[in-house]
Amino acid sequence: MNAATEAEILSPRGAPAPYVRFFGWATLLVLAAFLINNVLIVGYGYPTLGALFGTTDDTRVWVLVAVYAVALVCAWFLVSRTPNRALRYDARLISDFNAYLIRGCFFAVLFVGVADFVIAFLRVEGLLSVLFPENIAKDLLRARFIGPFIHVPLVLLGFVVAFFSRSLGFIWLALMIVVAELLIVISRFVFSYEQALMGDLVRYWYAALFLFASAYTLLHEGHVRVDVLFAGFSQRKKGRVNAVGSILLGMVTVWAIIVIGLGSKTAIVNSPVANFEVSQTGTAGMFVKYQMAAFLAVFGITMLIQFVSYLFEAVADMRDEPGRRETAAIAH
């Protein structure tokens, strides 16, 4: 996830690893299929895959099955067309894509946070009707207007900025959290002024910072590891441990988060997002609670993507392939 694309300086050719590569790419494409099907189920009323075992006669369920089938065929086609693609090359390509995804999310929450904070402040202070026409002022009181017509364009802008930016974005987000905390301290203890929206902003940015940075931390081996025997292992044995751990501990856990969070219309992520859910403070706070629920899905998706990259790197270590990435040498 460095600024320079490391995949560009790696040789794309390496020893064949068809089964590992198919497993990794199939995981990513099945994830994409799962997200597409989630949109169809939540947004367009398609039945869940459970309908295959029920009594429903809704044939649209076969569309969901077809999406998964296409994902698996695409994974097989990709691997078969590039039989000599190096594992490390694939790993860096996947990490680079994940870096862009995380950058986009960071810039998106930065823009949304600032915009929604300003709107919430104007709403609380009764200034919307002063600054805007009556119809717009009323719309700015509704989460179902602010979500699709203000938040969504800002999210898209975040991904556009991320395309041109060479920073992951959480440096700026961490700085803005400090500024927000400072604002709370000054307003509370100097001016005796406090509103729920101020705490909402800090929680919103904190949640994004911790959940979005997890995949980046994994890339740099920054997560806490119970290292009793691991440090003394050979490089090949370390690769074997990391490969098994990526699948049995990492991917299984992350898939559980994704399936539980997005498994049905009433799931803990789908329901708040579909309804643009707001906090109990109502109009006194920011309208970003539904996005904080979505952060869990972003965490699961980015971690799964990174675990696939991590698996490829681990198997390459097992096979003692050249081009091993030294985490300590990669700057932020």
Side-chain angles (χ1 to χ4, degrees):
M1 293 186 188
N2 197 8
T5 302
E6 295 182 355
E8 294 176 355
I9 61 177
L10 285 172
S11 172
R13 297 184 63 84
Y19 299 113
V20 175
R21 291 185 63 228
F22 175 77
F23 176 79
W25 284 109
T27 298
L28 296 180
L29 291 170
V30 167
L31 172 63
F34 178 86
L35 297 177
I36 292 171
N37 285 347
N38 186 63
V39 172
L40 294 175
I41 293 169
V42 177
Y44 296 94
Y46 276 61
T48 63
L49 285 177
L52 289 173
F53 308 99
T55 58
T56 181
D57 57 354
D58 193 337
T59 57
R60 293 182 301 172
V61 69
W62 292 106
V63 174
L64 308 185
V65 175
V67 172
Y68 283 116
V70 169
L72 293 174
V73 170
C74 287
W76 172 83
F77 181 78
L78 174 64
V79 173
S80 63
R81 288 295 300 270
T82 56
N84 296 316
R85 176 72 60 81
L87 283 169
R88 296 197 194 277
Y89 188 85
D90 272 359
R92 303 300 168 89
L93 287 177
I94 293 168
S95 282
D96 286 342
F97 171 77
N98 211 24
Y100 166 71
L101 185 61
I102 295 171
R103 284 199 308 271
C105 291
F106 273 122
F107 282 112
V109 298
L110 180 63
F111 298 155
V112 170
V114 172
D116 202 275
F117 179 84
V118 172
I119 294 172
F121 175 78
L122 296 176
R123 185 169 57 243
V124 169
E125 297 300 324
L127 297 176
L128 290 176
S129 58
V130 177
L131 298 176
F132 299 99
E134 182 179 359
N135 60 326
I136 296 179
K138 289 182 178 179
D139 285 335
L140 292 176
L141 296 173
R142 299 186 300 111
R144 285 189 172 274
F145 173 84
I146 292 178
F149 294 105
I150 295 180
H151 291 172
V152 171
L154 290 174
V155 169
L156 296 177
L157 176 63
F159 279 91
V160 172
V161 173
F163 184 78
F164 297 99
S165 170
R166 295 304 177 186
S167 168
L168 273 178
F170 57 75
I171 292 179
W172 301 108
L173 192 60
L175 175 62
M176 294 302 289
I177 290 174
V178 174
V179 172
E181 292 277 20
L182 182 62
L183 177 63
I184 291 176
V185 172
I186 293 175
S187 63
R188 178 186 296 173
F189 296 105
V190 177
F191 299 103
S192 299
Y193 178 86
E194 185 177 7
Q195 295 289 351
L197 59 95
M198 301 164 72
D200 288 347
L201 180 63
V202 173
R203 286 189 292 272
Y204 176 66
W205 279 343
Y206 261 133
L209 182 63
F210 290 130
L211 292 175
F212 295 175
S214 294
Y216 176 84
T217 307
L218 175 63
L219 174 69
H220 288 274
E221 300 279 2
H223 288 286
V224 175
R225 183 194 293 267
V226 181
D227 191 358
V228 179
L229 302 174
F230 186 81
F233 288 168
S234 66
Q235 194 58 53
R236 290 187 177 184
K237 187 174 290 187
K238 286 181 178 179
R240 188 175 298 110
V241 171
N242 285 335
V244 173
S246 295
I247 297 172
L248 297 184
L249 300 178
M251 293 184 186
V252 171
T253 301
V254 173
W255 266 119
I257 293 173
I258 294 172
V259 171
I260 293 172
L262 302 170
S264 66
K265 291 183 179 180
T266 58
I268 58 176
V269 173
N270 282 338
S271 181
V273 172
N275 295 292
F276 294 101
E277 185 175 311
V278 299
S279 63
Q280 293 180 348
T281 56
T283 58
M286 295 174 60
F287 289 170
V288 292
K289 184 180 178 181
Y290 76 95
Q291 288 195 20
M292 295 177 71
F295 290 174
L296 186 62
V298 174
F299 165 78
I301 291 167
T302 55
M303 285 295 286
L304 183 59
I305 294 172
Q306 198 58 46
F307 270 124
V308 172
S309 174
Y310 198 74
L311 172 65
F312 286 177
E313 288 279 4
V315 174
D317 289 343
M318 286 173 53
R319 302 180 351 161
D320 201 21
E321 294 185 2
R324 181 174 182 272
R325 175 178 54 81
E326 297 295 338
T327 56
I330 296 180
H332 179 269

